[in-house]
Amino acid sequence: MILSALLFAATIQAQGLPAGLNHLRFGCSQITVERLDPLVNPGLVGTPHMHQVVGGNAFNASIPVTDVSAIADCTTCGPADDHSNYWTANVYFKARNGSYKRVPQIPNRLLFNDKFTTQISGGITVYYISPGKGKVTAFKPGFRMLVGDPMRREKKYKMQSCYRCYTGPNYGGDNAAPCSDAKIDTEGFPPGPCLGGIRSNILYPTCWDGKNLDTPNHQDHVAYPTAGPSNFLSTGDCPASHPVKIPQLMLEVVWDTTKFNNKADWPADGSQPLYLSTGDNTGYSQHGDYVFGWKGDALQRAMDDKGCFSATCGNQKSQDISVANKCVIKKTVVEDADGWLDKLPGNPNMG
Ligand SMILES: *[C@@H]1O[C@H](CO)[C@@H](O)[C@H](O)[C@H]1NC(C)=O
Ligand SMILES: *[C@@H]1O[C@H](CO)[C@@H](O)[C@H](O)[C@H]1NC(C)=O
């Protein structure tokens, strides 16, 4: 266990990450796959597109702006004190005959020293990273934010989210930090079949205005550093408007596209067969939502645990996967998300 943790840390060092960097990272199973979005469309039952959601059982069509750690009483995530919710669009494959099928997800098998994370049946690997320089302040109760834009269909050169095409089994091609190398990470969907599946990384802003728990577009209260890449490789300062350094929240999802790699099933005109649930086959509308819900100082303790790389930084209480899998919610929007479908759930604008 210690050896594998060291090997993992050594790999990270080899990737040229800043010294003193720490990672709290853990898996979270899905709590639902459903057309709800309590951040962007609070109260709406049946939102325009589908999401996959992980985390606490306070998730619903709306989530009161309050201390979510107190209204949820369980979580699908490894650390028992994380009652937050995280959600992303999901991916569908469009076959040559025009039918859609949801692409399954697989856990991050690279985190072999973390049994919980390799046991989740899909879902998301969540990272909270402290760049190792200066104080990182954990989010406050009621905090929420959004990164990305479900309507975007064009490249923006910002690498706030990206895809990595695994060129072979066992994470072929996985040899650089996420969204750091435009030669291997693309902002849009990889153009051809990926033999080992496709990884998505979504990187939230790392600077906060210090005042607002949320803003009308769920983005203006946070910002990226003024210099350097828009990810945890950046040791750049926060802008004066957003002076408080917050943890680098990153979501990682591995899409098991391997069943859909037969070119004979791809559209005859050569177009991209993968669609985000937003109705987008460019991939640029990838986005991530976050509603903070950690108990007490658990997240702050993890960020203060310098040099730690694990699911238990700051002495987190880990739960067993069998306990996490008992954390369930009742579906509000009941519909077929997993069969072969004539159209994407919600029939989103296909522009
Ligand atoms: C979710 O919200 C609906 C109303 O939209 C409500 O009837 C239901 O009780 C809520 N579920 C939970 C678990 O709070
Ligand atoms: C479309 O093609 C897929 C994959 O070949 C197949 O499984 C599905 O049944 C087909 N759907 C229809 C409506 O023919």
Side-chain angles (χ1 to χ4, degrees):
M1 167 119 181
I2 288 169
L3 181 64
S4 49
L6 284 174
L7 284 173
F8 183 67
T11 313
I12 292 285
Q13 238 97 68
Q15 293 168 355
L17 301 185
L21 180 95
N22 74 342
H23 277 65
L24 168 68
R25 48 118 183 86
F26 51 84
C28 301
S29 290
Q30 279 164 352
I31 193 152
T32 192
V33 175
E34 201 170 348
R35 282 191 300 119
L36 293 178
D37 191 337
L39 188 57
V40 174
N41 302 114
L44 186 62
V45 172
T47 51
H49 61 261
M50 189 65 100
H51 289 116
Q52 59 136 350
V53 186
V54 304
N57 66 343
F59 188 82
N60 203 345
S62 59
I63 303 178
V65 181
T66 178
D67 183 355
V68 171
S69 78
I71 54 172
D73 56 22
C74 65
T75 176
T76 63
C77 294
D81 285 345
D82 184 13
H83 290 178
S84 307
N85 286 115
Y86 313 84
W87 62 99
T88 76
N90 27 34
V91 175
Y92 287 82
F93 172 75
K94 186 182 187 182
R96 185 164 288 197
N97 64 15
S99 305
Y100 297 88
K101 178 89 176 148
R102 188 158 78 85
V103 173
Q105 294 165 229
I106 43 178
N108 187 336
R109 293 176 304 248
L110 259 190
L111 300 182
F112 45 81
N113 59 345
D114 173 1
K115 207 164 118 221
F116 185 100
T117 296
T118 56
Q119 286 172 340
I120 62 169
S121 57
I124 299 179
T125 308
V126 174
Y127 292 73
Y128 287 89
I129 303 164
S130 156
K133 198 185 92 172
K135 172 84 179 165
V136 166
T137 305
F139 310 100
K140 302 278 181 268
F143 183 90
R144 24 191 87 188
M145 65 176 163
L146 166 73
V147 59
D149 176 359
M151 303 308 287
R152 184 151 78 90
R153 300 291 182 271
E154 287 170 346
K155 190 169 166 59
K156 265 201 171 163
Y157 307 106
K158 279 198 179 152
M159 286 295 219
Q160 292 164 5
S161 85
C162 65
Y163 301 91
R164 181 164 302 177
C165 180
Y166 287 130
T167 52
N170 295 320
Y171 298 89
D174 192 8
N175 50 13
C179 305
S180 64
D181 184 345
K183 287 195 288 297
I184 54 173
D185 287 326
T186 51
E187 258 200 284
F189 279 131
C194 297
L195 298 183
I198 297 172
R199 187 180 77 192
S200 284
N201 284 101
I202 300 171
L203 294 107
Y204 291 75
T206 52
C207 303
W208 177 45
D209 70 9
K211 294 192 272 288
N212 295 295
L213 297 174
D214 194 6
T215 35
N217 66 1
H218 316 293
Q219 300 189 320
D220 286 348
H221 56 317
V222 287
Y224 289 91
T226 46
S230 56
N231 65 25
F232 55 86
L233 297 174
S234 175
T235 48
D237 292 330
C238 284
S241 55
H242 296 78
V244 181
K245 199 129 200 150
I246 47 178
Q248 167 78 79
L249 175 58
M250 177 173 85
L251 307 184
E252 185 162 271
V253 185
V254 186
W255 311 101
D256 185 8
T257 53
T258 53
K259 284 207 272 290
F260 306 110
N261 278 345
N262 182 359
K263 277 277 199 160
D265 290 337
W266 286 36
D269 66 0
S271 58
Q272 172 63 254
L274 297 177
Y275 279 76
L276 286 169
S277 53
T278 52
D280 165 30
N281 73 342
T282 67
Y284 296 133
S285 68
Q286 176 156 257
H287 58 283
D289 295 75
Y290 177 53
V291 170
F292 171 83
W294 282 83
K295 280 196 196 171
D297 69 345
L299 180 59
Q300 188 64 57
R301 285 199 321 266
M303 294 296 93
D304 293 342
D305 189 358
K306 295 290 180 202
C308 177
F309 282 77
S310 80
T312 55
C313 295
N315 287 319
Q316 300 304 320
K317 272 180 271 165
S318 305
Q319 53 178 359
D320 193 77
I321 192 80
S322 62
V323 176
N325 287 344
K326 286 196 192 96
C327 188
V328 292
I329 59 171
K330 200 165 161 282
K331 262 202 200 326
T332 309
V333 185
V334 180
E335 64 187 335
D336 182 11
D338 290 321
W340 282 95
L341 308 171
D342 295 343
K343 44 190 186 354
L344 291 174
N347 200 17
N349 170 17
M350 300 294 281

